[in-house]
Amino acid sequence: MNAIRSTLFMAYAIVWSVLTAPLVVIAGPVLRGIWAYRFGKLWRLGTQFGVEHILGIRPKVIGRENMPAEPCVILAKHQSAWETMTLQDCVPDGAYCVFVLKKELLKVPFIGWGLAAMKMISIDRGAGKDALDQVVMQGRERLKQGFYVILFPEGTRVAPGQTKRYKPGGAYLATHVGCKVVPIAHDAGELWPRQAFLKKPGTVTISIGPAFDATGMSEIDVNKKAEEWIEGEMRRLSPHRYPDAASRA
């Protein structure tokens, strides 16, 4: 059954992207303003419709009251493609999000072109310190424009129960701009495994942690605070993935 669901969803997602991605690409340079994001939201909501009604994967959000009313930096766990869509529903109504991503993604047909039209924060990962400066320059502008900035500090999708080193990009942005930081944990990888075609139906829990002000903090301290909360919350959400957490329960 999961194979049928996953096949039907893939076909649906491809057709939906072919139909809607050109609207995003055209809206960016032609209509300008917020229209690219509005069409991008149309694509996202249509895709999420397929996720919920074909794959049977639905979200459960806890801690929504922790999300600030003003634009901030969101540092989130990254386990699948699912959260790149659904985390955007965690910000206040009417607000939009941008992601920090590697510039190579902008070359991917349809989806990449749409991301470029929505002016996501794209960086050259091989640029070292210059890449961090790119994040600050573009991130400051997006925050001023009212966008929430989402980063995955581990830099790549990580399987449930695993952790990679938290990279400094998000913390660097927050400390240089002086804004709030919100940590987010979730267990999407349990149903939508990393680089796997087959998905399973069920509920993904998104847990939004307490916001904290990065003003005056060092990047190391911001990353440490976010990592401690996220990884601690992951042990609560998925104790079976962490033998040490299960043994203390």
Side-chain angles (χ1 to χ4, degrees), residues 98-102 119-123 134-136 138-140 142 149 173:
V98 294
F99 289 85
V100 175
L101 45 82
K102 56 185 179 181
K119 299 186 183 302
M120 297 292 170
I121 300 173
S122 59
I123 62 170
Q134 292 170 28
V135 171
V136 172
Q138 297 177 63
R140 177 181 283 113
R142 301 298 186 275
V149 179
L173 170 60

Side-chain angles (χ1 to χ4, degrees), residues 179-191:
C179 66
K180 291 183 179 179
V181 175
V182 177
I184 293 183
H186 62 83
D187 55 358
E190 301 288 350
L191 304 180

Side-chain angles (χ1 to χ4, degrees), residues 183-185 207-210 225-234:
I184 293 183
S207 182
I208 304 174
K225 188 177 182 70
E227 181 177 3
E228 286 179 350
W229 189 90
I230 292 172
E231 297 306 323
E233 185 68 357
M234 289 305 304

Side-chain angles (χ1 to χ4, degrees), residues 74-78 150-156 158 164-171 184 223 226-227 230-231:
I74 297 171
L75 300 182
K77 194 72 176 176
H78 195 17
I150 300 177
L151 300 96
F152 300 116
E154 291 168 286
T156 187
V158 180
K164 287 187 178 294
R165 182 180 69 86
Y166 277 48
K167 296 178 171 58
I184 293 183
N223 251 0
E227 181 177 3
I230 292 172
E231 297 306 323

Side-chain angles (χ1 to χ4, degrees), residues 32 39 54 115 150 189:
R32 301 184 182 279
F39 283 123
I54 299 176
L115 293 174
I150 300 177

Side-chain angles (χ1 to χ4, degrees), residues 66-188:
N66 290 326
M67 184 62 65
E70 72 274 12
C72 63
V73 170
I74 297 171
L75 300 182
K77 194 72 176 176
H78 195 17
Q79 293 186 343
S80 72
W82 182 89
E83 60 268 16
T84 62
M85 296 180 290
T86 314
L87 286 182
Q88 298 180 63
D89 291 328
C90 294
V91 301
D93 291 342
Y96 291 92
C97 302
V98 294
F99 289 85
V100 175
L101 45 82
K102 56 185 179 181
K103 66 179 183 179
E104 290 81 6
L105 289 177
L106 304 182
K107 299 177 182 178
V108 177
F110 296 110
I111 293 178
W113 302 338
L115 293 174
M118 289 189 287
K119 299 186 183 302
M120 297 292 170
I121 300 173
S122 59
I123 62 170
D124 179 0
R125 285 186 172 178
K129 175 67 163 49
D130 287 342
L132 293 177
D133 292 335
Q134 292 170 28
V135 171
V136 172
M137 181 179 67
Q138 297 177 63
R140 177 181 283 113
E141 185 63 25
R142 301 298 186 275
L143 287 165
K144 284 182 179 178
Q145 293 171 337
F147 293 100
Y148 287 68
V149 179
I150 300 177
L151 300 96
F152 300 116
E154 291 168 286
T156 187
R157 288 171 289 182
V158 180
Q162 297 183 11
T163 303
K164 287 187 178 294
R165 182 180 69 86
Y166 277 48
K167 296 178 171 58
Y172 191 84
L173 170 60
T175 56
H176 281 68
V177 173
C179 66
K180 291 183 179 179
V181 175
V182 177
I184 293 183
H186 62 83
D187 55 358

